[in-house]
Amino acid sequence: MPSPTLVARPNFAFEALDRVLEGLGWFLQSESQTPPLIPGEPELAVYVHRAKGTELQYSFNPVVRLRVLQFHGRDAVEGWNAVRRQVPVLDAPALATLLASRETKEVLLGLLATGELRERSSLERVAALRFHPEESVSRTAEHVHAQLVPAGVTEAFQVLEAEKRAHPERSVLFAHLPGEEQRRQVLRWLIQDHPQSNPHIDAVLNSALVDADAEVRVTAVMAAARLQARAVIPALLAAKMPTSTREGADPRDRLFYSGLRELVAGVLAGRPLPPEGSPKRERMAPLLRALSGPAEVRDDPTLLLHALTTPVDLGSPPQVLPEALVAHEGTYRLRRSGLEARWVPAVEHWLGTGATLRRVPSPGLFVARVPVSRAASTWALAAAQGPMGTASADAEEAAPCTWAQAEQVCAALSRIEGVELRLPSGEAWEMAARGPDGRLFPWGNSMRDDGASHTSPWGVAGLVGSLPQWAADEKTGGHLLCGGRDQPLCSVRRDVAEADSAARGAVRWVLALQP
């Protein structure tokens, strides 16, 4: 990921910048020792923040007065935000003005600033400047255009065009969406947002019905029924449904999958259904209701239908960020240890299975992105009496702990951060793992061998690693082990007797919002 970057306006002198940075807690560590071309305007300088492990690298091009500030380190984004509020910078409208100027130096400044900021809204103008009569402008525009349009993009479009010619009935863009989870969600939003299909949706469904991911194909079958997409019947009849464990089909779902495609094709083609009141029609009733619209969730089969047709409700971000957390590149970190967290918003979650199936609202909580590693656990226990630096990267092997040791790690982190971090309840752990749509596994509704590498809908990882994870029974206060290699289903948990000193699990802390 590129370092967060600002380009100060050309008339904002270094002396003024230095005063602003000093007021924000930065100190000048070093600057270029060669005499500057413009007195008082060093061409290189490095600042370090007094309270954060963050570095600011400043460079100045005196020819066009290009002033670039790049931020590096753990709190780079936070530093970028603070400086941007105090320093006048070149933004997209200012760049557009420079690129349209008749002055060569201003155009060159606009081009170089566009390249530093990777400002893609200026792409069309940059492309046109490649043919500017001034060689310095055209050459610079060519270089910046290559920065904004990475190598290989043109070739990629040529591949897409060839695929479209080979299969004009399909959406090649849908087929190339990154990750099967994104393709599943696109289909589920189509179900929610559209009353019926159209040629564009038909093309998406035709692509989805031949997708490599079994759950994408099953969802496409449900979408075809909901949207009355009769034009995709040929692709529907040819679609391959998962019918074995190797293909990810849970044994209890195979009968459903095997009959789903034929039923939907028949309904769309207008074939007669079994007579009302007949035993066969009664058995088909829940599925028929699900094919025509949202059906009431009453048991595991109807929950599966719900999960296959309902997009993930991402909820709202936290209205107030706890003092112990800082926002970091779209996620959150504990302020002192640096351990990463994910947000589980206050939306309703389907939990449990069979007789325990229920819908429970999340109170809104932060949860560790991964279980606490051996290195982070050792650091926390040592640093609890006086924090020393930050914890090691938390993507390493999880620390195996007894229940008592897990509580000690949470207590140590709580003292370091000045806030209560505790082991999750069984419900909180399941919410973090399952998301709101009632899926069977953190990654979806089909078994898979690489599940340990996938995250939950909330971005929580390491849920089915080698170790299960400790949680508290919210009703009895007992000890539970959730997840792990032997318990990949989100709803499965194992009771552990308090006297069982041999039980080992990983630590995953939670931080709940105050009511």
Side-chain angles (χ1 to χ4, degrees):
M1 171 178 284
S3 301
T5 302
L6 297 173
V7 175
R9 288 187 176 268
N11 58 352
F12 192 69
F14 178 78
E15 182 181 359
L17 174 67
D18 184 69
R19 286 197 302 270
V20 169
L21 293 177
E22 184 179 7
L24 292 173
W26 299 84
F27 71 90
L28 180 62
Q29 185 181 65
S30 63
E31 62 178 271
S32 51
Q33 298 303 304
T34 55
L37 188 63
I38 301 175
E41 294 285 352
E43 294 172 19
L44 294 171
V46 176
Y47 287 82
V48 176
H49 199 280
R50 291 190 175 95
K52 305 177 187 299
T54 308
E55 183 180 271
L56 188 161
Q57 295 179 355
Y58 168 81
S59 64
F60 175 60
N61 180 334
V63 177
V64 295
R65 294 182 178 265
L66 174 73
R67 304 179 186 275
V68 180
L69 293 83
Q70 284 193 330
F71 298 78
H72 304 272
R74 179 165 58 87
D75 293 319
V77 174
E78 187 178 345
W80 178 91
N81 270 313
V83 173
R84 191 181 192 283
R85 288 193 290 267
Q86 300 291 326
V87 172
V89 298
L90 293 178
D91 53 14
L95 293 177
T97 300
L98 289 169
L99 294 173
S101 174
R102 294 184 179 181
E103 296 292 330
T104 299
K105 282 189 176 181
E106 290 190 351
V107 176
L108 288 172
L109 172 60
L111 284 169
L112 293 172
T114 295
E116 293 288 350
L117 296 170
R118 300 294 195 271
E119 181 54 62
R120 292 186 61 82
S121 66
S122 301
L123 179 59
E124 186 175 347
R125 184 61 185 165
V126 171
L129 288 171
R130 292 181 299 168
F131 306 101
H132 194 278
E134 283 275 355
E135 184 182 358
S136 61
V137 172
S138 62
R139 188 170 61 249
T140 303
E142 192 72 48
H143 174 71
V144 173
H145 188 269
Q147 290 179 292
L148 300 180
V149 183
V153 170
T154 302
E155 292 80 357
F157 274 112
Q158 291 173 346
V159 170
L160 293 178
E161 289 174 355
E163 290 183 15
K164 189 64 177 177
R165 287 194 296 271
H167 298 284
E169 78 285 1
R170 297 180 189 171
S171 167
V172 294
L173 293 179
F174 174 85
H176 287 275
L177 286 175
E180 63 272 8
E181 179 66 16
Q182 186 171 346
R183 300 196 296 279
R184 296 171 190 169
Q185 294 303 316
V186 166
L187 295 172
R188 290 163 194 174
W189 280 112
L190 287 176
I191 292 172
Q192 176 161 304
D193 291 346
H194 295 270
Q196 61 184 27
S197 193
N198 58 45
H200 299 293
I201 295 176
D202 290 342
V204 169
L205 295 178
N206 280 325
S207 288
L209 288 165
V210 295
D211 197 272
D213 179 67
E215 189 167 334
V216 170
R217 300 196 301 272
V218 173
T219 300
V221 173
M222 297 293 294
R226 288 278 190 94
L227 300 173
Q228 294 293 296
R230 295 180 177 83
V232 306
I233 290 177
L236 192 64
L237 291 171
K240 185 176 182 295
M241 292 291 97
T243 57
S244 69
T245 303
R246 183 177 56 82
E247 296 169 303
D250 187 289
R252 62 183 175 175
D253 299 328
R254 290 176 193 168
L255 287 176
F256 164 68
Y257 289 139
S258 63
L260 176 65
R261 184 191 62 181
E262 285 72 18
L263 175 62
V264 171
V267 169
L268 292 178
R271 296 190 202 125
L273 295 169
E276 289 279 1
S278 66
K280 189 173 183 180
R281 181 66 175 262
E282 290 300 315
R283 290 194 298 271
M284 295 169 60
L287 182 53
L288 289 171
R289 283 194 294 270
L291 295 182
S292 59
E296 180 186 1
V297 175
R298 295 178 299 178
D299 50 25
D300 290 346
T302 51
L303 179 63
L304 176 61
L305 295 173
H306 170 86
L308 289 169
T309 54
T310 305
V312 171
D313 178 2
L314 294 178
S316 302
Q319 294 183 355
V320 178
L321 197 62
E323 180 64 25
L325 288 174
V326 292
H328 180 82
E329 298 180 359
T331 181
Y332 307 94
R333 287 186 184 273
L334 291 173
R335 185 175 295 277
R336 294 177 180 170
S337 64
L339 298 179
E340 222 177 326
R342 291 292 185 266
W343 168 243
V344 178
V347 298
E348 291 190 323
H349 289 67
W350 283 104
L351 303 181
T353 184
T356 66
L357 184 63
R358 62 205 183 279
R359 202 172 190 189
V360 179
S362 162
L365 55 91
F366 295 91
V367 60
R369 185 184 70 86
V370 294
V372 178
S373 69
R374 290 177 182 268
S377 174
T378 301
W379 174 88
L381 293 170
Q385 302 307 317
M388 301 173 294
T390 57
S392 300
D394 55 2
E396 302 166 6
E397 182 184 359
C401 298
T402 64
W403 172 268
Q405 290 168 338
E407 287 194 311
Q408 289 171 4
V409 171
C410 286
L413 287 171
S414 297
R415 287 193 294 272
I416 291 168
E417 302 294 345
V419 69
E420 184 184 11
L421 301 173
R422 59 176 185 266
L423 294 171
S425 67
E427 285 192 346
W429 190 96
E430 189 176 346
M431 289 176 185
R434 198 168 190 176
D437 59 2
R439 59 184 61 195
L440 297 172
F441 307 97
W443 56 84
N445 294 285
S446 299
M447 292 182 289
R448 55 191 307 161
D449 295 333
D450 62 346
S453 64
H454 288 259
T455 65
S456 79
W458 306 132
V460 180
L463 293 154
V464 294
S466 57
L467 282 173
Q469 293 149 42
W470 287 111
D473 189 315
E474 50 270 16
K475 293 181 179 178
T476 68
H479 307 163
L480 303 172
L481 283 173
C482 304
R485 183 180 296 129
D486 298 328
Q487 300 180 143
L489 285 166
C490 296
S491 58
V492 174
R493 56 191 70 171
R494 176 165 65 89
D495 286 298
V496 178
E498 191 168 349
D500 185 357
S501 60
R504 295 290 186 275
V507 182
R508 188 186 293 277
W509 48 265
V510 297
L511 169 57
L513 293 183
Q514 295 298 320

